[in-house]
Amino acid sequence: MEFDSEEWRQERNRRLHEWVQNEDAVRFILDWADACELFDDIVDRDKAIPEEHAVRVLFNVFTELPVNPFFDRFKYQLIPLLVTGINAWLDANTLERGSESERVFAYVMRDYYMEFVSFVIYLTRGRDVMRALSMEIREFFTHHETLNQYLEGLEEQDQ
């Protein structure tokens, strides 16, 4: 199954429902992921941004997210994680332009969002469930690209 394909997204959504077991929390994760994709496309400028995607994300962020019961209940726990996740992603973008060692750090930091999924599971189902699912989550979200593939992709971008 190709990463980020429609099939992969359907499997992601199925797993999120299984892992999280809270519809409002899953909706929050999916809305946040959608916003992150838009953020990435705006910063990277590597592809056109469909108007429908921008409108959907902005509408959700301004109107749906603030009234999502899960977000409303846990916003003071979630906002610091959102801030540090955005910061890690911005740092990863900077490190991608650095030395090979810095690019290795970027490879790890760009996937900080997995901590977000695990933390939502912690909030909805507790520490033991989070720990039981942690490696499965990491494998699902990161095994689509090896470090060497990532570094080769960066080298191709540099040329």
Side-chain angles (χ1 to χ4, degrees), residues 28 31-32 59-69 71-72 82:
F28 175 67
D31 286 347
W32 179 248
F59 188 88
N60 285 344
V61 167
F62 292 137
T63 64
E64 303 291 329
L65 180 68
V67 296
N68 176 303
F71 179 75
D72 188 50
L82 301 179

Side-chain angles (χ1 to χ4, degrees), residues 4 10 12 25 48 86 93 99 133 139:
D4 209 26
Q10 289 175 2
R12 174 202 62 190
I86 292 168
N93 280 349
S99 68
L133 295 172
E139 288 172 10

Side-chain angles (χ1 to χ4, degrees), residues 11-25:
E11 179 63 13
R12 174 202 62 190
N13 296 355
R14 185 194 68 74
R15 287 179 185 229
L16 285 172
H17 281 92
E18 178 184 309
W19 292 332
V20 177
Q21 298 184 5
N22 177 303
E23 190 61 36
D24 293 325

Side-chain angles (χ1 to χ4, degrees), residues 18-63:
E18 178 184 309
W19 292 332
V20 177
Q21 298 184 5
N22 177 303
E23 190 61 36
D24 293 325
V26 170
R27 178 80 264 138
F28 175 67
I29 291 170
L30 293 174
D31 286 347
W32 179 248
D34 203 20
C36 289
E37 286 179 33
L38 179 62
F39 198 158
D40 181 72
D41 292 344
I42 290 169
V43 171
D44 290 348
R45 297 183 185 138
D46 58 349
K47 58 183 165 184
I49 300 169
E51 180 180 336
E52 180 273 328
H53 185 215
V55 168
R56 181 183 66 242
V57 168
L58 293 173
F59 188 88
N60 285 344
V61 167
F62 292 137
T63 64

Side-chain angles (χ1 to χ4, degrees), residues 109-146:
M109 291 176 66
R110 71 191 179 126
D111 287 328
Y112 186 82
Y113 66 87
M114 284 177 309
E115 305 309 324
F116 183 78
V117 173
S118 295
F119 190 65
V120 168
I121 292 168
Y122 170 77
L123 292 173
T124 58
R125 300 186 62 204
R127 183 190 61 179
D128 292 342
V129 175
M130 177 193 68
R131 288 299 307 137
L133 295 172
S134 184
M135 291 307 296
E136 182 179 343
I137 293 164
R138 290 181 194 288
E139 288 172 10
F140 179 75
F141 284 107
T142 64
H143 280 60
H144 62 90
E145 182 179 46
T146 67

Side-chain angles (χ1 to χ4, degrees), residues 1-11:
M1 170 176 21
E2 183 181 340
F3 177 74
D4 209 26
S5 64
E6 185 58 35
E7 179 186 17
W8 181 89
R9 287 174 182 252
Q10 289 175 2
E11 179 63 13

Side-chain angles (χ1 to χ4, degrees), residues 75-94:
K75 62 186 163 210
Y76 295 110
Q77 291 93 333
L78 293 167
I79 290 173
L81 192 61
L82 301 179
V83 169
T84 56
I86 292 168
N87 189 61
W89 177 77
L90 291 169
D91 286 348
N93 280 349
T94 299

